[in-house]
Amino acid sequence: MPNKGDPFQGQVFLFCGGRKDRFKALYWDGQGYWLLYKRFENGKMSWPQNQNEVQALSSEQVDWLMKGFAIKPISKV
């Protein structure tokens, strides 16, 4: 994964396992790292398939992700 951020500047890094039903968040608070682990009881997340799909998320998108919603609006054609 390309380095698109500095973990020591208040950014949160999210990592997802292969099943896409759980993820980890890593955050540096100035004194140490916080590790948040979330597992969904039902459903799976929409997650990047390759490095080209990796993106920065807004705080709103992170909130949606932690609540189990898609981070991109679903457009109907």
Side-chain angles (χ1 to χ4, degrees):
M1 181 172 109
N3 186 3
K4 294 190 177 198
D6 183 353
F8 300 107
Q9 297 300 315
Q11 296 171 337
V12 177
F13 292 85
L14 302 174
F15 304 89
C16 180
R19 291 188 223 167
K20 296 183 183 176
D21 65 346
R22 60 197 78 192
F23 71 92
K24 295 175 187 161
L26 190 62
Y27 172 72
W28 174 259
D29 71 357
Q31 296 180 347
Y33 280 103
W34 283 87
L35 178 63
L36 171 72
Y37 178 82
K38 173 121 182 178
R39 180 178 165 261
F40 292 100
E41 293 295 324
N42 298 308
K44 296 185 179 193
M45 292 179 286
S46 169
W47 203 260
Q49 299 296 314
N50 58 54
Q51 290 182 2
N52 294 333
E53 295 180 5
V54 173
Q55 62 181 323
L57 302 178
S58 68
S59 59
E60 185 178 42
Q61 287 173 310
V62 172
D63 185 50
W64 293 341
L65 183 66
M66 290 189 182
K67 291 177 180 172
F69 299 116
I71 57 173
K72 292 182 187 177
I74 299 171
S75 60
K76 296 181 180 180
V77 179

